[in-house]
Amino acid sequence: MSERSITWTQASVAGVPLRRFVGHVGPVEVGAVEFDGSNRLWTWSSPLAEDAWGHAQSEAGAKQGFEVWLRGWLENFRPFLER
């Protein structure tokens, strides 16, 4: 999986872009990256697992951290998907 496999869409309110991005693989929402102003860090999370989250210094770092987590999480399903 490459970062190009995840399509990131910037969230907005009333046409004003937010510092939040939602990631999809096809039609499935797999994660989100948003700026946490109180900690001045970017936080990533996933609706696929409630304990999936992390922080990074930059938006790109948070997206990369999320991708690393997603690869590991998907690896758990390999035995079910391979024959």
Side-chain angles (χ1 to χ4, degrees):
M1 173 186 308
S2 69
E3 188 172 337
R4 289 179 221 108
S5 299
I6 300 171
T7 302
W8 294 99
T9 306
Q10 188 170 17
S12 64
V13 173
V16 177
L18 302 176
R19 293 177 87 177
R20 175 177 167 74
F21 298 84
V22 178
H24 288 85
V25 174
V28 179
E29 181 181 329
V30 294
V33 168
E34 62 188 306
F35 186 71
D36 176 357
S38 63
N39 291 315
R40 305 204 47 80
L41 293 170
W42 285 84
T43 302
W44 63 263
S45 61
S46 177
L48 302 175
E50 65 183 47
D51 62 345
W53 61 272
H55 297 292
Q57 296 283 337
S58 67
E59 173 193 332
K63 287 177 179 177
Q64 183 179 19
F66 170 74
E67 183 178 336
V68 168
W69 172 82
L70 184 59
R71 284 176 188 249
W73 186 79
L74 288 171
E75 200 55 41
N76 294 317
F77 298 96
R78 185 178 298 277
F80 299 108
L81 301 173
E82 291 183 338
R83 289 193 106 188

